[in-house]
Amino acid sequence: MASCSNAAKEAEAESTKVPNWLELPRDITVNILGRLDTIDIVTNVCHVCPLWWNIFKDPLMWRSIHMTNFKRSSYINLSELVQICCYAVERSCGRLLDIDIKSFATDDLLQCIARNGSNLGSMRLVTCQRISEKGFSEAVRKLSRLEELDISLCNNLSKDALKVIGISCPLLKSLKFDRGWCASIRGADDSEALIISETMARLCRLDIQGNTLTDVGLVAILDKCPLLEYLDIQDCYNLSLSESLRKRCIEQIKNLQLPILDNFEDFDYEYDVNRDTNWFYMLDDSYYDNYDP
């Protein structure tokens, strides 16, 4: 009877035994670690044990860098975030393929990315108010292999930045330049749309929500971007969209997001034309130093 009891206890102990992560095959460990957040990797994970440290010595482990969610991290100071990101970028040793940054990018960080991103194919910089047009343009001139770019809500970037993108990134297939829902109230201006049409003929996806373009700019894009399959022009309130133009958009673009123009006339919104930007762009330094999305 005792032997049966011991056997049962041993079986129970075996079933509740905590797995030893170090006993996993290396390829499985690499797969798991590669899915973790960049901040956690830099500050904690790669210091857990010699095995994990050696795994993260491989530049291939730093091909994809994502720093968009800081809720679980105490590293919310701007300078610390920049340092962590630069460290990760430099560890890639030129193997960086994909980078995703929210809110804290600076010109210095962009230069770091440019130095190590000769193979960079996808870059997302969202709500990055600290980057200047000059700093961004200098960096993107060195990123000729970019195929996907998202520079939404970066209100320091204008048509000049778009021109540099079009000239410097001939492989670009996807561009997202969301201006924000009320940006187009500033007045009609087709300059950005015309630059896109003249320099980005290989685009397959284009998101320019809140752009100031009119029907003229839209027609130019439809004429000169023949590969376009996805187009988002929501909140582009300077468009009139005649019946024939609307029909052409629907026939030519597989996935189309149009503005709801009928309801806009009834929308009561006071916009100060003397201000450069909207309230959600007016973020001072303290916002970034205490960022908690």
Side-chain angles (χ1 to χ4, degrees):
M1 181 70 88
S3 61
C4 292
S5 177
N6 290 336
K9 289 180 179 180
E10 291 176 2
E12 182 180 356
E14 186 68 26
S15 65
T16 58
K17 183 180 179 182
V18 177
N20 186 347
W21 286 77
L22 298 180
E23 294 178 355
L24 287 173
R26 185 182 176 89
D27 58 336
I28 294 178
T29 302
V30 168
N31 186 287
I32 293 172
L33 295 179
R35 299 170 186 268
L36 299 177
D37 177 81
T38 300
I39 296 177
D40 290 336
I41 292 173
V42 173
T43 59
N44 295 309
V45 177
C46 65
H47 304 294
V48 168
C49 63
L51 173 62
W52 290 9
W53 172 254
N54 286 326
I55 287 175
F56 282 110
K57 280 185 177 180
D58 186 350
L60 295 179
M61 291 297 295
W62 305 94
R63 287 178 297 181
S64 184
I65 295 173
H66 294 264
M67 296 182 65
T68 60
N69 185 1
F70 315 129
K71 287 182 179 180
R72 292 176 296 127
S73 173
S74 60
Y75 293 85
I76 58 175
N77 178 273
L78 172 70
S79 60
E80 289 177 313
L81 289 171
V82 171
Q83 289 174 11
I84 290 170
C85 192
C86 281
Y87 175 86
V89 169
E90 290 171 350
R91 297 288 295 183
S92 72
C93 299
R95 305 292 184 91
L96 185 63
L97 299 178
D98 169 34
I99 191 162
D100 187 353
I101 298 172
K102 185 175 182 179
S103 299
F104 69 89
T106 63
D107 287 352
D108 288 341
L109 177 54
L110 288 181
Q111 289 304 314
C112 178
I113 293 171
R115 288 194 300 271
N116 296 275
S118 59
N119 292 305
L120 189 64
S122 176
M123 181 165 68
R124 184 171 181 261
L125 307 171
V126 177
T127 326
C128 293
Q129 312 299 354
R130 298 252 185 159
I131 61 177
S132 68
E133 187 144 60
K134 180 181 178 182
F136 174 82
S137 298
E138 288 177 353
V140 85
R141 287 189 180 98
K142 302 175 184 178
L143 303 175
S144 60
R145 299 185 69 84
L146 274 179
E147 296 186 16
E148 300 177 5
L149 179 63
D150 183 349
I151 48 173
S152 297
L153 303 179
C154 297
N155 67 303
N156 291 328
L157 303 184
S158 69
K159 61 183 179 181
D160 294 331
L162 284 179
K163 190 171 184 178
V164 173
I165 294 168
I167 294 172
S168 306
C169 307
L171 303 179
L172 196 66
K173 296 178 181 179
S174 175
L175 174 67
K176 184 173 182 179
F177 193 23
D178 183 346
R179 287 295 208 177
W181 67 271
C182 60
S184 64
I185 301 174
R186 299 175 186 178
D189 184 355
D190 284 310
S191 57
E192 292 181 355
L194 294 177
I195 288 173
I196 290 172
S197 68
E198 293 291 342
T199 64
M200 304 181 192
R202 300 185 64 163
L203 282 180
C204 298
R205 296 178 59 86
L206 177 61
D207 182 341
I208 47 173
Q209 295 181 58
N211 196 271
T212 57
L213 84 167
T214 69
D215 288 8
V216 173
L218 178 56
V219 169
I221 290 173
L222 294 175
D223 285 344
K224 298 187 178 181
C225 299
L227 303 179
L228 209 56
E229 297 182 350
Y230 176 93
L231 177 62
D232 193 335
I233 47 176
Q234 295 181 88
D235 302 328
C236 295
Y237 296 121
N238 293 304
L239 290 168
S240 58
L241 281 178
S242 63
E243 184 177 346
S244 59
L245 181 54
R246 185 183 291 266
K247 181 180 179 182
R248 179 183 175 184
C249 288
I250 294 172
E251 292 177 348
Q252 184 171 335
I253 308 298
K254 292 181 180 179
N255 194 334
L256 179 66
Q257 306 295 325
L258 292 174
I260 304 174
L261 300 177
D262 294 339
N263 296 335
F264 183 65
E265 294 178 357
D266 300 328
F267 184 69
D268 184 15
Y269 175 77
E270 257 184 60
Y271 183 76
D272 183 353
V273 295
N274 295 317
R275 294 178 62 188
D276 290 347
T277 182
N278 316 319
W279 68 266
F280 52 85
Y281 290 138
M282 297 293 286
L283 302 173
D284 59 21
D285 292 356
S286 62
Y287 172 84
Y288 296 98
D289 292 336
N290 299 280
Y291 180 73
D292 185 17

